[in-house]
Every structure is written in structure tokens, then in C-alpha cells.
Amino acid sequence: MADTHQPANGISPDPAERRWKRLEYPLAGIFGLLLLQALVTASDFLVPVVTALLGYFVLNRPRRWLGQIGVPPVLSAGLFTTLLTLLIVILLVQLSSPAAQFIEDLPSLMEEIKQKLTASGGALEAINEATDAAEEIISDQDADTVAVEVVSNSGFAASIFSMAPGFLSRIVFSLILLFFLVASGDMFLTKTVQSFNRFSDKRRAVEVLHAIEDRLGYYLGGISIINAGLGVAVAIAMHLWGLPNALIFGFMAFGLNFVPFLGGLMGASIAAAVAFVSLDGTWAAAGVFVTYVLLTSIEGQFITPLVISRRMKLNTTVVFLTVAFFAWIWSVMGMVVALPILIVIKIVCDETNTLPTLARFLGDQDDVGSKEDA
């Protein structure tokens, strides 16, 4: 009787190979878990490194333009980092006082919102009454229980301010690393090309790096200009509504709009909460919320597609999950760098043609994951 398990070529698989096949998926799962833990643990180091690398790809093309007129890479790097440092310092100086006051007033602001919502005639009056009734029942059953009130000596503002040194140190580290990356010129491109043996692989590596520089720089540069215009529009709109410190809402709109989907909603919610207290009216808060959402919708639906076009054909669901994932592992900065990282992955998949399935999955329904949209 013939062996039904005998391979067609008559050669039995190697026992070591069979054992490796059985261990392949468990090892991949263990590696994935260790990688995830490393990303979370090393977030303080990885976030500024990733930010500097993205800045390097964006500034590499302007550095080459300056090199064509005789400016050495070191001077270009010094110019770029000096301009970025001055911009950050100006923003910190201009916003430090109103931002500190806003953070200081935030706990009382939230308490005032709570009181207005739960007061007589408020939106949460019925829920508040039910909660009070439940607390009375529990207190009657536990009459002998001694109530202990825990008082925190460190307020909300103190905890926010305590994070400032760490945040500033990451900015400084990112700027220093960006300087060295830009000052190195095309060294990384040269080293990447030298790591391949075949000429076709060297040419493909150059094409991939140039595509990342072009498309990522085009996206980040364009979206920065658009977000700046949105910030001006939001600041003017909030000033017309009569909100205090309208300039803060403009800068907030500029920064939050780098976060897809959630940025505009968070900004609109914060502005509406401030309007609910400062303008003393539910309809005014609703008007502020609608105004903010309307401005961000005009930017997202009309201006951005018109200026940047639809070359960034990405799966909307994948974009949302990517933002949520990086927000989970890297907090706020993770949401900012999530989309640029996804763009880099999509460009590499498109240009190398080594992961066509992943390229098609990351693209939208009109994208085929090829170099046609580069």
C-alpha cells in the first residue's frame, strides 16, 4: 500500500524544517509583543528620533537646493535648526502667559461646567437627582462607615507644568539630532546605496528615498501652510464670538489639525466648553462648536484636496487605526507623527513592489498600490 503522505517529488521534508515551521508563527507573535513593549518603553527616546527623521526627509530637498548655490550642508543645517528654534521660542514666549493662565483656570472651568449642567434646569438635572438619591440610600446602609476625604496637594496645573521640562528636553534633543542629520548631507543615501550589490537595487533605493523626500515634504509642507491659515481663521472666528484669549484657539487649531479626525473634534469641544462658561449660554457654546467644525470641514473637504490633491491615497479606516495606535503607545505626539509614518510605509510598499498586498490594503478603493500615484 502506497504512503499517501509521501511528497510528490519523493523527498521527505527535513525534520528540522518541520519543527521550524511549527515554531514560525509563535516566534513571530513573541517578536511582535516584544517590539510593542519596546516601542512603549522607549517612547521618550523614539518620539524625538522619529520626529527628527521626518524633519530630515522634509528638509533634505531644500538642503540640496542650497547646496547647488554653494551653501555647505553644515550651514544649511544651522540655518534650518536656528529658524526652527526661533519659531519655537517665539511661540513659547507669546503663549506661555495665556496658556499658563488657561491651564490654571481649567479645573475651575470644568467645575463650573459641571455645576451649570447639574443645576436646576440644567441638562443633567435628572441624572444628578438620581445620583443623589442613590448616595442617600448607600449612606443610610453604611451609616457607621467613617468617611475619609483624600486631599491632593498637587493640583492639575502643577502636574501639567511638571511635564514641561521633559517635553522641552525632547524638543532640544530632536533639534540637535535634526542638525546632525541635515549636516551629514547625502551620507545616509550613500551608505544605503553602498549596502546593495546589484546596480538595479542601488537605483531602486535612490528612487525610494527620493520619493519619500518629495511626497512627505510636499504633504507636510502643504499641510503646515494650510493649518496656519486655519489657525488664523479660527482665531478670528473665536474673537468675533467674544471668547477670551482667542489667539490660543488659533494655535490650538494649528497644532491639533495635524491629527486626522480627532484633532478638529477635540479643538471644537474645548472651544465649546470655554464658550459655555465665558459666554454663559448653551446656544453660544453650540454656535462656537459649529463654527469651529465648519472651518475645519471646509479645510478638510475642499482646501486640502485642492492644494495637496489626492496623491495621498490612504485607507481611511487604516488611518484612523494608525492614529489610535500611536496615540496609545506615544500619547499626543504619537497622533501627530502617525500619518507621516503611515505615508512613509505606503511609499516604500509602492516603490519597492515587495509588499503589493500591504500597499493595496493601505490605499483607498481607487489606489492600486503602484507607482502611478507617486
Side-chain angles (χ1 to χ4, degrees):
M1 182 176 179
D3 186 4
T4 58
H5 298 285
Q6 185 71 16
N9 56 8
I11 302 176
S12 300
D14 185 20
E17 183 179 352
R18 290 201 304 267
R19 288 195 297 269
W20 170 250
K21 288 291 185 182
R22 289 196 296 266
L23 293 175
E24 184 176 359
Y25 292 106
L27 288 176
I30 293 173
F31 174 78
L33 292 175
L34 292 176
L35 178 61
L36 177 61
Q37 182 61 39
L39 291 175
V40 175
T41 304
S43 61
D44 291 342
F45 173 77
L46 291 177
V47 170
V49 169
V50 171
T51 305
L53 287 174
L54 293 174
Y56 167 72
F57 283 123
V58 173
L59 297 175
N60 216 18
R61 185 55 58 90
R63 191 266 309 162
R64 289 198 185 96
W65 293 340
L66 293 176
Q68 293 175 358
I69 61 176
V71 180
V74 175
L75 291 182
S76 299
L79 175 63
F80 294 149
T81 52
T82 300
L83 291 177
L84 289 174
T85 302
L86 289 177
L87 179 61
I88 293 173
V89 170
I90 291 174
L91 290 178
L92 291 177
V93 171
Q94 294 296 323
L95 295 178
S96 59
S97 178
Q101 187 62 43
F102 178 78
I103 294 174
E104 196 75 40
D105 296 339
L106 189 58
S108 60
L109 176 67
M110 300 304 297
E111 183 64 26
E112 190 171 350
I113 293 175
K114 178 182 177 181
Q115 291 177 358
K116 287 190 174 183
L117 290 175
T118 57
S120 179
L124 302 180
E125 180 184 4
I127 298 178
N128 187 46
E129 292 177 354
T131 303
D132 293 339
E135 290 178 352
E136 290 180 1
I137 295 175
I138 295 175
S139 62
D140 292 339
Q141 294 177 350
D142 301 331
D144 297 333
T145 303
V146 178
V148 178
E149 181 180 1
V150 179
V151 180
S152 175
N153 294 326
S154 58
F156 175 79
S159 62
I160 294 294
F161 292 139
S162 65
M163 296 187 295
F167 181 73
L168 292 177
S169 64
R170 295 181 193 178
I171 294 178
V172 173
F173 174 61
S174 182
L175 289 173
I176 294 175
L177 179 58
L178 179 62
F179 171 82
F180 285 113
L181 288 173
V182 177
S184 65
D186 287 323
M187 184 186 68
F188 287 98
L189 176 62
T190 303
K191 295 295 183 182
T192 303
V193 172
Q194 291 175 350
S195 64
F196 296 97
N197 296 322
R198 295 187 301 177
F199 176 76
S200 59
D201 293 335
K202 295 176 184 291
R203 184 179 61 182
R204 179 54 59 87
V206 173
E207 292 176 350
V208 171
L209 292 177
H210 284 175
I212 292 175
E213 291 175 4
D214 291 340
R215 294 173 62 181
L216 189 62
Y218 184 76
Y219 169 77
L220 289 179
I223 205 68
S224 298
I225 296 174
I226 293 173
N227 288 353
L230 176 65
V232 173
V234 168
I236 294 174
M238 298 302 103
H239 176 73
L240 294 176
W241 272 105
L243 286 183
N245 298 321
L247 185 63
I248 292 182
F249 295 100
F251 283 104
M252 180 181 66
F254 170 78
L256 290 178
N257 207 52
F258 283 98
V259 181
F261 307 118
L262 301 177
L265 184 60
M266 288 190 296
S269 301
I270 295 174
V274 175
F276 184 76
V277 174
S278 60
L279 301 183
D280 197 17
T282 304
W283 289 109
V288 169
F289 183 87
V290 171
T291 302
Y292 196 111
V293 172
L294 181 62
L295 291 174
T296 55
S297 299
I298 293 174
E299 173 271 325
Q301 299 299 323
F302 298 101
I303 299 178
T304 297
L306 180 64
V307 175
I308 300 182
S309 78
R310 297 190 178 275
R311 299 200 305 173
M312 301 301 170
K313 297 179 178 179
L314 296 175
N315 189 326
T316 305
T317 304
V318 174
V319 172
F320 178 79
L321 291 176
T322 303
V323 173
F325 173 76
F326 280 98
W328 174 49
I329 63 173
W330 289 349
S331 188
V332 177
M333 281 303 301
M335 293 190 291
V336 176
V337 302
L339 187 55
I341 291 175
L342 184 62
I343 291 174
V344 172
I345 296 174
K346 180 67 165 60
I347 294 172
V348 172
C349 292
D350 287 345
E351 296 292 329
T352 59
N353 293 325
T354 55
L355 296 172
T357 303
L358 179 60
R360 287 192 294 269
F361 182 76
L362 295 179
D364 64 3
Q365 60 182 359
D366 299 325
D367 180 58
V368 295
S370 66
K371 294 173 64 176
E372 296 177 358
D373 61 338

